[in-house]
Amino acid sequence: PSRARVEGIARRALAAGRRPVVLRGMASEIAPVGRALWNLDTLPTLLPRGRVRVSPSPTFTFVRERHPLCRSGAYPLPSRVCEAMSGSEFVARIGLAAGGLPPLFYAAGERYYMQADLPAETIQAGRVPALWRSLLDSPAQPLRLWVSTRGATTPLHFDSADSFLAQMRGSKRVTFFPPAALRGLYPYPADHPLHRRARPSLYAAPDERAEDYPRFSEAAAVAQTIELHEGDVVIFPRNWWHNVE
């Protein structure tokens, strides 16, 4: 279809927060995609320093580390943040030579997920295509680079503002649940360290999950899974729950 038709479909789909929209092959409108730019050799130059989430496993669960229960030690932290890791150290820690570096917070084998704001000189916010900006009432955060190794997952959660993901290299699988599925997702309360997160895991044994969270089947019935390949973009409304692999 023509570009005007694509834009019309995308706008209608996101109107009133209806559903996510996938734009195939459009990530190149913000920057070149693929190995030539996005690789471990260039990463320290693209991002000299940034935020990295650290987890004892491939599951990266966001937690409010400053919550009183976390600060007191009453609630064990499922992940922690290193606010200013150098790009060079990040590359070393996720590479084959990581054995020479001591763990930061957990035992040997901890995993790392870069979640860092992009410097203006890398990709300027003004380069975000007009179509994307027009579909976002209030982008959730500054342009941010997410880098992980194969197999990393971010469990079910929602963002409080509209967002987009542009897949510059590799692939992701994203499972979306609409806001109306809230009843079946058993969210943590607002005063919990895991606020904006859901209790059920998509990877739990179905029988056990059905016993612990009987209403999850209602949410699963309206879930939508998409595959993001190199060059693809997904734009999604606020309050849509999503699990990222």
Side-chain angles (χ1 to χ4, degrees):
S2 68
R3 183 181 182 83
R5 185 180 177 191
V6 169
E7 292 185 4
I9 293 171
R11 288 196 176 93
R12 288 194 297 274
L14 264 91
R18 237 187 324 168
R19 64 179 183 272
V21 170
V22 179
L23 304 176
R24 297 292 182 192
M26 292 187 68
S28 58
E29 294 198 12
I30 193 172
V33 302
R35 176 187 292 270
L37 178 60
W38 307 101
N39 61 73
L40 297 184
D41 292 329
T42 60
L43 184 61
T45 301
L46 293 171
L47 197 67
R49 188 168 295 275
R51 184 184 306 106
V52 173
R53 185 164 293 280
V54 183
S55 172
S57 76
T59 300
F60 291 84
T61 302
F62 176 87
V63 60
R64 295 189 288 180
E65 293 185 47
R66 296 182 180 179
H67 190 284
L69 290 177
C70 296
R71 298 183 71 169
S72 69
Y75 190 86
L77 293 170
S79 70
R80 296 187 65 178
V81 168
C82 176
E83 288 290 350
M85 182 184 292
S86 71
S88 298
E89 180 181 347
F90 175 75
V91 169
R93 286 188 176 277
I94 66 172
L96 295 177
L101 294 172
L104 292 175
F105 304 117
Y106 301 99
E110 67 183 7
R111 301 287 291 269
Y112 310 94
Y113 198 160
M114 179 168 279
Q115 305 173 353
D117 295 348
L118 275 169
E121 59 269 23
T122 302
I123 298 179
Q124 297 180 2
R127 291 194 59 180
V128 177
L131 168 62
W132 306 8
R133 292 198 301 270
S134 71
L135 297 173
L136 298 167
D137 287 341
S138 52
Q141 56 201 12
L143 291 181
R144 184 168 291 177
L145 182 64
W146 303 75
V147 183
S148 74
T149 52
R150 183 187 300 272
T153 62
T154 303
L156 268 173
H157 67 285
F158 73 88
D159 299 331
S160 56
D162 302 338
S163 303
F164 73 82
L165 286 172
Q167 194 68 29
M168 309 311 291
R169 184 176 171 190
S171 61
K172 276 189 177 71
R173 179 184 297 113
V174 187
T175 302
F176 286 104
F177 295 76
L182 180 67
R183 181 175 180 271
L185 296 178
Y186 298 84
Y188 288 96
D191 60 353
H192 194 276
L194 298 184
H195 174 50
R196 294 197 295 115
R197 270 72 200 162
R199 290 182 173 87
S201 168
L202 269 59
Y203 313 107
D207 291 346
E208 293 180 8
R209 187 173 57 212
E211 182 177 350
D212 294 338
Y213 307 106
R215 296 192 305 272
F216 180 77
S217 59
E218 302 172 10
V222 293
Q224 172 190 8
T225 298
I226 64 167
E227 301 277 350
L228 280 183
H229 300 289
E230 196 168 283
D232 292 340
V233 178
V234 61
I235 302 175
F236 53 98
R238 71 192 73 184
N239 299 329
W240 274 71
W241 294 79
H242 48 289
N243 184 94
V244 184
E245 306 170 68

